[in-house]
Amino acid sequence: MSAEILNPDISRELTPSVVIAATLDTKPGEVELLLKAFKRHGLSYILVDCGVLGSSTMKPDISATQIAALAGSDIDDLRRLANREATLRTMMEGLSVCLDTLVSHGLVRGFFAMGGGTNTALASAAFARLPYGIPKLLVATTVSGDMSRIVDAKDVVLIHSVVDILGTGQYLRSLLDRSAAVMSALVTDAQAHRTSSPANCVGITAFGSTTRAANAAFERLNSLGHEVLVFHARGSGGRAAETFIREGRINLMLDLTTTEITDEVVGGFLTAGPTRLDAAVEKAIPQVILPGAIDMVNFGPMETIPAKFHGRQFLRHTPTTTLMRTSAEEAASVARFIASKLERATAPVAAIVPTRGFSAYDAEGAPFFDPIADQAFVEELEHALRADISLIKIDAHINDPEVAELATDTLLQLARNNH
């Protein structure tokens, strides 16, 4: 791909490289240090300017003018607008389009960003667009806080700069040199291990209270020659599973642990969002659904629980995690959510319900054991589920070995039926 496609001012050819997104109007000296560090470590780069405050004497490979144009805007209009939030969103959109183009031409070996809040926001746009497996690194002052919205469900390396990315002193030189060394190692390792997804890859969702079931399913599928990917169902895990399915990395889905749906429906902290369960339906892959850990809603410490839930049954799982037992009404709502998602399924799908409990806390003698609430889920799912979708009840607890055996056997049979 020629550089002229993205920037007519640059004549050299673009080759597969690490994309550096930077604001050259505010960080020219710092970026120059980074480029020297890249060269020392043998890293080629594509420098993308996302600055909107003014021009720079540095020559990027892809200019701020072009990034703005990719978002349907004019850089001069953005500079006159004097609305930092709006202009940043525009440049984030343009960077996303730019990265989509570069990825489609096989030109992105990695992504690197550095700075404060503005560059962290730009990096978040990149993280959202770049596929799994492409190294992504952010060096910033912001990474000592909550980065969940920035990283989301992607494979990202964060380096806390401690001091601001400002100036060209010895500390910053050392920091950027070490960061370039990390990127060099990431890119080299990614190249060495880059393979296509196997045709028999199975996704499993798991949680601490469904670990025994997930382990049993993993071992059985793995022994049968399947590649198995397990996702920790704490919000980002569910979103990651959905992304893997959409990218074609998962061909069969054993959605053993659907607890994130409970958080979405009730208002817990570990929701994966309202699109949970959409990907498998949209990509038409066979799937088996179980109500793993839907008996609980996840919150932080007790003081973080909304007042409307006071008086409910709680359990302190860890010093930072409090669980709330799902009521019968809430369990029925979870069943309706699942049924509504599966309504559009065109590939084979089945639901399996272990009638003796849905998690380690929902077993006879355990704190959340509540057969009435569990039965409310079962009855509502039976009522709401599309008539041609199999609902298989088993007289066992979700962590009993026979449940994992039934779930894996059912999934593999659905796969055979799909061919």
Side-chain angles (χ1 to χ4, degrees):
M1 174 185 171
S2 163
E4 284 89 340
I5 293 176
L6 287 173
N7 188 343
D9 299 327
I10 303 296
S11 60
R12 75 174 178 87
E13 292 283 319
L14 294 179
T15 58
S17 304
V18 176
V19 175
I20 300 173
T23 50
L24 300 186
D25 50 1
T26 61
K27 302 286 184 187
E30 296 82 353
V31 172
E32 191 63 48
L33 280 183
L34 177 65
L35 300 186
K36 290 178 180 178
F38 265 49
K39 290 173 182 175
R40 282 195 296 274
H41 290 279
L43 286 169
S44 62
Y45 58 84
I46 298 170
L47 180 60
V48 181
D49 184 14
C50 298
V52 294
L53 297 181
S55 59
S56 171
T57 57
M58 289 189 72
K59 283 290 186 181
D61 297 304
I62 301 169
S63 69
T65 299
Q66 185 63 21
I67 292 298
L70 290 173
S73 297
D74 181 270
I75 192 67
D76 292 328
D77 291 342
L78 290 178
R79 287 169 179 163
R80 285 191 293 268
L81 184 61
N83 183 327
R84 185 174 182 277
E85 193 271 341
T87 57
L88 179 55
R89 284 192 177 277
T90 299
M91 298 306 278
M92 290 168 66
E93 180 182 347
L95 177 61
S96 297
V97 176
C98 174
L99 287 170
D100 286 347
T101 303
L102 294 174
V103 168
S104 70
H105 286 82
L107 291 170
V108 183
R109 295 186 65 204
F111 175 85
F112 189 105
M114 66 176 187
T118 296
N119 285 277
T120 297
L122 290 166
S124 72
F127 298 157
R129 308 301 294 199
L130 293 172
Y132 288 91
I134 291 180
K136 310 164 189 69
L137 193 152
L138 171 64
V139 184
T141 55
T142 56
V143 305
S144 62
D146 180 5
M147 295 295 289
S148 58
R149 291 184 180 273
I150 304 299
V151 174
D152 195 33
K154 289 303 180 72
D155 49 342
V156 176
V157 174
L158 303 174
I159 297 179
H160 184 206
S161 64
V162 183
V163 301
D164 201 0
I165 308 293
L166 181 65
T168 57
Q170 185 56 43
Y171 180 91
L172 190 59
R173 289 173 185 269
S174 174
L175 172 68
L176 295 182
D177 189 73
R178 288 180 283 119
S179 300
V182 171
M183 177 54 77
S184 178
L186 291 171
V187 168
T188 301
D189 187 70
Q191 287 294 111
H193 294 91
R194 186 163 295 167
T195 58
S196 58
S197 297
N200 61 342
C201 187
V202 182
I204 298 177
T205 47
F207 214 45
S209 57
T210 60
T211 296
R212 284 172 52 197
N215 285 345
F218 176 92
E219 293 297 336
R220 193 154 192 271
L221 290 166
N222 189 58
S223 70
L224 294 172
H226 291 271
E227 178 79 9
V228 185
L229 302 177
V230 182
F231 298 88
H232 193 188
R234 48 181 296 106
S236 60
R239 291 191 296 275
E242 301 273 318
T243 301
F244 268 62
I245 293 170
R246 287 195 172 92
E247 291 183 358
R249 297 169 182 267
I250 291 175
N251 316 103
L252 302 172
M253 189 64 192
L254 178 51
D255 220 333
L256 176 77
T257 309
T258 44
T259 184
E260 292 156 319
I261 295 171
T262 307
D263 280 42
E264 173 64 21
V265 170
V266 181
F269 286 10
L270 298 186
T271 174
T275 61
R276 185 73 169 83
L277 301 185
D278 282 352
V281 170
E282 292 166 4
K283 297 295 289 186
I285 67 169
Q287 59 176 321
V288 170
I289 310 289
L290 287 90
I294 66 127
D295 55 291
M296 62 187 70
V297 186
N298 296 271
F299 295 107
M302 285 293 294
E303 61 270 18
T304 68
I305 299 173
K308 65 179 180 178
F309 295 120
H310 288 179
R312 296 285 297 273
Q313 181 184 0
F314 295 104
L315 176 69
R316 290 185 177 178
H317 178 63
T318 71
T320 59
T321 303
T322 306
L323 309 177
M324 182 179 78
R325 211 312 171 181
T326 314
S327 69
E329 293 76 15
E330 290 161 349
S333 296
V334 172
R336 286 192 293 273
F337 182 104
I338 292 173
S340 70
K341 295 293 182 174
L342 300 184
E343 181 72 25
R344 299 178 293 113
T346 57
V349 59
I352 294 177
V353 178
T355 59
R356 290 185 179 270
F358 304 154
S359 81
Y361 292 123
D362 180 28
E364 188 169 2
F368 282 174
F369 185 59
D370 187 345
I372 295 175
D374 291 352
Q375 184 60 25
F377 171 86
V378 177
E379 291 177 355
E380 187 61 32
L381 190 62
E382 285 181 311
H383 171 75
L385 201 60
R386 205 174 71 195
D388 62 325
I389 295 176
S390 296
L391 174 59
I392 306 167
K393 290 185 280 187
I394 177 172
D395 184 23
H397 184 270
I398 194 167
N399 286 325
D400 290 340
E402 53 266 40
V403 173
E405 183 177 353
L406 174 63
T408 53
D409 283 349
T410 302
L411 182 64
L412 296 178
Q413 184 59 54
L414 293 180
R416 288 190 289 271
N417 294 345
N418 200 42
H419 290 299

